[in-house]
Amino acid sequence: MARALSRRDVLKASSAVALTLPAMPLRAAAPPPTAITPDLIAAAQKEGKVIHYTSVDLPLAEKVAKAFEAKYPGIAVRTERSGAERVFTRIAQERSSNIHACDVVQSSDAAHFVVWKRDGILAPYVPEEVAQHYPPEHKDADGLFASYRVYLCVMARNTDLVKAEDAPKSYHDLLDPKWAGKIVKAHPGYSGTILTATYQTARDVGWDYYEKLAKQRVMQVQSASDPPKKLALGERAIMADGIEYGVFQIKETGKPVDVIYAAEGSPLIVGPNGVLKSAPNPNAARLLQSFMLSAECQQFNVDLGGLRSAHALVKDKPGRTPMKDIKVMKDDAAAVEKESEQIKARYVQYFKV
């Protein structure tokens, strides 16, 4: 059986490919903003399909795809969903085999876009709404990607099993012996969300937190979307990390879960979207990129998906704590990209998984 590629393998391969290419001049600025025009729609409809690789949870990704198909009849969206680390590896494997199957790519690990930009595989494209309504920190200066989804990695509780007054308020509270065998968390080797959150938490709280947490007989799952589900089922009482929007979605169906924003701060997760330079359906790819970064789709994500948004015209759903009222850790995609293998190795050293 072939060995699965690690991120280190992928980075080595990317560097090897880069050395064979002529030096390319740096872009001076992003391209002019592009509006959705009848010509773009017609060209996209002529292509008839678009393929999106994403780490967004499948129910929401499919709802967005259906909304796009309804708005632009004749263009079928094929959604390929996997964990962010697997999306990253798949792109690398296809590239090394000269396979061009993906049109638009999204990852919950923003560090992947550092690599993809450096390797020159993203196409410059700036949707009009990105130019008009996204702050600088949420759009690439060279116009190669922008923040499709913004959310927090949070703690949470099963409200039937843990009363509000008894719930942990901080990461250090999880180290209390009373929570041993009652905690669930996800894995940074599978989930880009958790890789990013692990970096931020280790930086701001300390690696000794993870070393001690590993002794609490923690249930270890893969995806960042899994802990809220385990919480809702009552399999664990407390979630150490997981997607905020997953807790929102489950809570709004009447299940006994609620978010806990840690006193030390909640990791900020940014999931960019970008068009691949080798997109087999380039016009449909640009149209999908414009749609996904529009106020219409972003508000859809917030209302139905529980996400946050970088789009200035999008509002938080009533009843949810506004971002301005939450202590949030600072993201650093470049640092995550640089330290990813060390983060995963140290994590596995503690959790033995």
Side-chain angles (χ1 to χ4, degrees):
M1 181 180 294
R3 180 176 65 87
L5 288 175
S6 70
R7 185 193 288 236
R8 181 179 286 118
D9 295 326
V10 173
L11 293 178
K12 285 181 179 177
S14 297
S15 298
V17 170
L19 289 174
T20 67
L21 298 176
M24 299 296 289
L26 294 175
R27 293 186 57 83
T34 299
I36 296 176
T37 63
D39 286 345
L40 177 60
I41 296 170
Q45 288 172 329
K46 185 175 181 179
E47 291 168 349
K49 62 181 178 180
V50 62
I51 294 89
H52 187 217
Y53 288 6
T54 182
S55 61
V56 173
D57 58 308
L58 190 57
L60 178 59
E62 289 182 336
K63 288 176 183 176
V64 169
K66 293 299 182 186
F68 176 83
E69 291 173 344
K71 189 175 182 69
Y72 301 107
I75 309 171
V77 180
R78 193 178 85 202
T79 301
E80 298 283 347
R81 193 275 166 192
S82 190
E85 299 306 299
R86 292 184 182 178
V87 169
F88 182 72
T89 300
R90 181 173 179 177
I91 291 289
Q93 290 172 330
E94 290 182 354
R95 182 172 174 237
S96 67
S97 301
N98 201 30
I99 295 172
H100 308 299
C102 178
D103 291 304
V104 180
V105 65
Q106 184 279 330
S107 176
S108 56
D109 185 348
H112 293 164
F113 283 82
V114 175
V115 177
W116 292 331
K117 177 175 180 176
R118 185 177 65 215
D119 288 353
I121 70 170
L122 300 171
Y125 178 69
V126 180
E128 189 173 58
E129 289 196 47
V130 169
Q132 293 174 346
H133 302 298
Y134 280 64
E137 64 270 23
H138 284 286
K139 55 188 176 187
D140 176 56
D142 296 322
L144 297 172
F145 55 87
S147 299
Y148 170 61
R149 60 175 182 160
V150 179
Y151 57 99
L152 300 177
C153 186
V154 297
M155 295 165 51
R157 66 186 173 99
N158 178 299
T159 57
D160 286 345
L161 300 177
V162 181
K163 297 178 181 178
E165 59 268 27
D166 299 328
K169 305 298 189 296
S170 69
Y171 293 112
H172 285 106
D173 286 350
L174 296 180
L175 307 181
D176 190 310
K178 73 179 182 179
W179 300 121
K182 299 178 180 179
I183 300 171
V184 61
K185 76 178 305 299
H187 196 293
Y190 176 86
S191 167
T193 294
I194 303 303
L195 178 65
T196 300
T198 301
Y199 166 78
Q200 293 181 29
T201 306
R203 178 196 64 198
D204 294 1
V205 180
W207 273 110
D208 61 327
Y209 158 70
Y210 282 109
E211 184 176 13
K212 294 172 183 176
L213 182 66
K215 299 174 183 177
Q216 288 285 69
R217 304 198 312 275
V218 174
M219 175 189 280
Q220 185 76 64
V221 294
Q222 287 188 329
S223 173
S225 64
D226 291 336
K229 299 171 187 175
K230 297 295 184 182
L231 209 64
L233 292 171
E235 294 184 25
R236 286 295 185 272
I238 294 294
M239 181 177 94
D241 58 26
I243 49 177
E244 178 193 43
Y245 64 86
V247 180
F248 285 157
Q249 291 172 353
I250 291 172
K251 180 179 179 179
E252 289 168 8
T253 66
K255 297 291 183 7
V257 298
D258 202 7
V259 171
I260 300 171
Y261 298 110
E264 300 94 339
S266 297
L268 176 67
I269 313 298
V270 176
N273 231 46
V275 175
L276 290 185
K277 189 178 292 184
S278 60
N281 306 289
N283 294 294
R286 291 176 175 85
L287 185 60
L288 180 62
Q289 178 79 339
S290 289
F291 173 76
M292 295 183 74
L293 295 166
S294 68
E296 177 184 357
C297 184
Q298 290 290 298
Q299 193 66 61
F300 181 91
N301 283 350
V302 169
D303 294 343
L304 295 183
L307 293 169
R308 309 288 181 164
S309 178
H311 197 300
L313 301 184
V314 175
K315 307 299 182 185
D316 282 322
K317 187 173 181 178
R320 296 176 186 163
T321 305
M323 282 278 281
K324 64 181 180 62
D325 296 334
I326 303 169
K327 184 177 180 181
V328 176
M329 294 180 179
K330 179 178 174 56
D331 67 318
D332 189 342
V336 174
E337 187 273 322
K338 182 179 179 181
E339 300 179 27
S340 62
E341 291 302 316
Q342 298 95 308
I343 294 168
K344 287 185 275 190
R346 194 162 184 178
Y347 182 91
V348 170
Q349 175 187 344
Y350 294 149
F351 284 86
K352 310 297 182 185
V353 290

